[in-house]
Amino acid sequence: MLPFINLIVADRNSKITIAKQVGNQIVKLIRDGVVVPGALLPATRVLADLIGVNRKTINKAYAELLNEEWIESVPRQGFRVKTNLPLIKPRSFHPQNKFEKTDLEQPPLTEHEEIPKLQKRRIADNELLINDGLPDYRLTPYQEMNREYRKHFNNTALNRAAYFLDQGGHPSLKTATATFLNGTRGLNAGENNIIITRGGQMAIYLAITLLVEKGETVVATEPNYIFADETFKNAGAVINRIAVDEEGMIIEEFEKILQSKPVKMLYLAPHHHHPTTVTMSSERRLRLLQLMSKFDFWVLEDDYDYDYHHSNRPILPLATSCHNGKIIYVGSYSKLLGPSVRLGFMVSSPKLIQRALQLKRLFDLKGDVFGEYVIAQMIMSGALDRHIQHVNKVYTSRCHLMSTQITTYLGDKVSFKIPQGGLALWVKFDHSFELKKLIKKAAENGLHLLGNVCHNKHSRHNNSIRLGFASLEEQEITQAISILSKLIT
């Protein structure tokens, strides 16, 4: 409840009756937008006690407000401000938004302005959604997580840890993450090399914000992960583009940029490029490491879905190689456990990790102590490994099914290659079907396509879209492709 004891003051020396004073002040609060339409007012006895007047006085004030149609009586609730206040007469009402006036300029629209629009759609529960390549929330290991929560809920040391400043993640999770990454990726990282973040995107933001200054040149692929681009723009960087083919980013184009100007950072996802899903070839990886040694630039390696392999032939990250500390490695537990589990990590030198921790504290003061401890226990007990093995089988099956369905029912109207791993397909539609119109028509038919889209006419990937299969069950995949088939035939 609002502090009416300070908002309404009875002046006993005024010639205006106290009942009228109370009514006038309530009207002013409504006009100023402090008390909003639909808000409940204090009971007459409560308000009388708050401002030190007789209850009959408040009754008179409310009766006058009722008569003037400012408030209404609600059975078993009391009095509330009318939701449909009159817009004419001297008592006309149009509350002023106190946050509208500002000297700041309207931020320019990004080149990816369609993404926020798509995310604002209202989607009925019975309609289908193909996302950018997220895991199925229905497969999140909630039972194992809840078991760990219950086991440690009364842990005094764990509860007290929540009172202290974030140390870059609970020590147990940093240690467990080092064990996990060293065992699956061969990083040879220690606890001091790791900071735990709220998802992989925070790790990307920390790395770019710490190292890239306004006006500096950075390099990214075309197409690229949209929110990495936006983070570079937020830092004021100048983005240079290089194309992507079946072997990943075209290294010769990158070399030409390096020879023409100093480059501060390269962002790439070599294991499963986002959005095209291609894996960078061994030859290009080796050449990239040679260029790092020669031209001295940072590499931000985004390995967002390393643990998903359909052929059981993972390629180790670039960060496993010798790189003189110039590769920053970021990843996410969210891709493993579920979209609502907001945990990621950044691996780098201890000095950079400490700088990242100082920046992180400015907008994320306390860590999720219990959540981090639970995931640490799952890693150390082997529960996370078992979960990865289980969902890998499920997602491999779904990948095969969507690929088969697309080939069977969309035929020569699309082209794609089955990726070595990951959670999505990158599908290019024939130019006789304008993808923007197709997305709109699909939504009208109950199928919402929210994956990364390439509309760049100068790109070989123009008219392509990322179709996430992992979050769809078999009948949902079949239904989705059926809708697309009807729309393009």
Side-chain angles (χ1 to χ4, degrees):
M1 181 186 293
L2 289 169
F4 284 94
I5 189 173
N6 299 320
L7 296 175
I8 298 176
V9 179
D11 183 1
R12 302 182 188 281
N13 297 320
S14 174
K15 294 181 180 180
I16 302 174
T17 66
I18 292 179
K20 190 66 175 176
Q21 290 180 42
V22 171
N24 289 343
Q25 290 179 66
I26 290 176
V27 169
K28 186 176 186 305
L29 291 172
I30 297 172
R31 285 185 181 277
D32 291 345
V34 177
V35 179
V36 297
L40 287 172
L41 295 175
T44 55
R45 187 185 303 278
V46 172
L47 186 57
D49 290 342
L50 285 174
I51 63 178
V53 300
N54 191 286
R55 183 184 180 189
K56 292 181 179 179
T57 301
I58 304 301
N59 283 332
K60 290 181 181 179
Y62 279 9
E64 183 65 21
L65 293 172
L66 280 167
N67 186 52
E68 294 184 355
E69 300 180 6
W70 283 104
I71 65 175
E72 59 188 355
S73 178
V74 182
R76 294 185 298 278
Q77 292 189 49
F79 298 95
R80 73 178 179 190
V81 179
K82 293 192 70 171
T83 56
N84 55 337
L85 286 168
L87 298 178
I88 55 175
K89 304 178 184 178
R91 60 180 185 276
S92 64
F93 170 76
H94 195 280
Q96 179 184 2
N97 189 317
K98 298 177 178 62
F99 295 96
E100 283 185 349
K101 292 183 179 180
T102 177
D103 294 331
L104 293 175
E105 295 181 1
Q106 182 75 13
L109 290 175
T110 72
E111 63 185 81
H112 308 295
E113 68 270 12
E114 72 275 5
I115 297 300
K117 291 179 182 178
L118 291 175
Q119 298 292 350
K120 288 181 180 179
R121 288 183 193 165
R122 291 189 176 182
I123 300 176
D125 291 344
N126 63 330
E127 295 185 331
L128 290 172
L129 186 156
I130 299 183
N131 57 48
D132 199 54
L134 297 174
D136 192 339
Y137 71 91
R138 293 165 292 196
L139 297 178
T140 300
Y142 288 118
Q143 291 185 350
E144 291 85 351
M145 295 170 68
N146 288 336
R147 191 180 301 122
E148 294 293 340
Y149 268 110
R150 289 194 300 270
K151 187 187 300 183
H152 303 287
F153 186 73
N154 293 320
N155 185 321
T156 301
L158 199 57
N159 277 284
R160 287 182 175 176
Y163 297 148
F164 296 94
L165 287 175
D166 176 37
Q167 298 299 317
H170 193 273
S172 64
L173 183 56
K174 290 200 288 185
T175 300
T177 298
T179 301
F180 175 65
L181 297 178
N182 295 341
T184 57
R185 296 149 170 84
L187 289 187
N188 192 25
E191 181 181 333
N192 293 334
N193 298 112
I194 294 170
I195 183 171
I196 302 299
T197 59
R198 304 295 143 235
Q201 181 61 34
M202 181 188 282
I204 292 171
Y205 175 84
L206 290 172
I208 292 175
T209 303
L210 285 172
L211 294 174
V212 178
E213 298 182 3
K214 186 175 181 179
E216 290 187 314
T217 297
V218 298
V219 176
T221 59
E222 175 58 49
N224 194 40
Y225 172 49
I226 288 172
F227 292 104
D229 289 350
E230 295 305 317
T231 308
F232 275 132
K233 292 175 185 177
N234 183 69
V238 178
I239 305 177
N240 284 235
R241 300 291 185 181
I242 48 178
V244 176
D245 62 15
E246 291 74 14
E247 296 185 54
M249 77 168 196
I250 300 177
I251 199 73
E252 292 79 10
E253 292 186 12
F254 181 45
E255 192 167 0
K256 288 180 181 179
I257 296 174
L258 289 171
Q259 292 169 348
S260 64
K261 66 186 76 172
V263 171
K264 188 61 175 287
M265 180 180 285
L266 166 69
Y267 169 86
L268 79 165
H271 197 248
H272 299 135
H273 175 263
H274 195 290
T276 69
T277 76
V278 298
T279 299
M280 191 175 183
S281 67
S282 299
E283 293 78 11
R284 291 187 181 180
R285 289 168 182 254
L286 179 60
R287 183 56 185 155
L288 176 58
L289 291 170
Q290 293 171 346
L291 292 174
M292 286 185 66
S293 177
K294 181 178 180 180
F295 289 97
D296 190 32
F297 53 88
W298 289 91
V299 171
L300 179 53
E301 182 177 11
D302 187 355
D303 217 0
Y304 60 98
D305 62 358
Y306 174 86
D307 297 279
Y308 293 123
H309 317 293
H310 304 319
S311 58
N312 291 320
R313 291 187 297 174
I315 298 177
L316 290 179
L318 285 168
T320 304
S321 308
C322 294
H323 51 79
N324 296 322
K326 299 293 283 189
I327 293 180
I328 303 170
Y329 184 80
V330 301
S332 173
Y333 287 118
S334 304
K335 287 289 191 294
L336 289 176
L337 297 168
S340 62
V341 182
R342 303 306 305 154
L343 285 176
F345 48 82
M346 183 173 92
V347 185
S348 187
S349 68
K351 288 185 178 180
L352 187 60
I353 292 298
Q354 281 301 309
R355 287 180 59 193
L357 174 57
Q358 293 171 357
L359 175 59
K360 178 175 179 282
R361 282 178 177 168
L362 297 181
F363 56 90
D364 189 31
L365 198 59
K366 306 283 188 180
D368 179 9
V369 173
F370 270 95
E372 292 170 7
Y373 191 80
V374 163
I375 304 306
Q377 297 306 305
M378 291 183 65
I379 294 173
M380 303 311 292
S381 69
L384 182 62
D385 282 339
R386 292 191 293 273
H387 172 71
I388 292 172
Q389 291 175 15
H390 168 64
V391 295
N392 249 323
K393 293 178 181 178
V394 174
Y395 295 151
T396 299
S397 174
R398 293 179 181 180
C399 177
H400 176 73
L401 176 61
M402 180 175 275
S403 300
T404 303
Q405 292 274 315
I406 290 176
T407 302
T408 302
Y409 296 103
L410 303 187
D412 58 358
K413 300 175 180 64
V414 300
S415 60
F416 72 100
K417 288 190 175 182
I418 301 176
Q420 295 183 20
L423 305 176
L425 301 177
W426 181 245
V427 180
K428 181 179 179 64
F429 281 78
D430 186 272
H431 287 287
S432 59
F433 305 98
E434 187 178 347
L435 195 50
K436 285 185 178 181
K437 293 181 179 179
L438 183 61
I439 291 172
K440 184 177 180 181
K441 289 175 65 177
E444 294 170 354
N445 285 268
L447 175 62
H448 302 268
L449 307 177
L450 302 186
N452 200 338
V453 184
C454 180
H455 291 311
N456 183 353
K457 293 182 179 180
H458 303 291
S459 169
R460 64 190 296 169
H461 301 285
N462 182 41
N463 218 43
S464 299
I465 185 170
R466 189 173 163 94
L467 300 179
F469 53 78
S471 60
L472 299 173
E473 294 181 334
E474 290 186 0
Q475 71 274 15
E476 294 172 326
I477 292 174
T478 301
Q479 185 181 351
I481 302 306
S482 175
I483 293 173
L484 286 176
S485 175
K486 291 176 183 178
L487 292 177
I488 68 174
T489 55

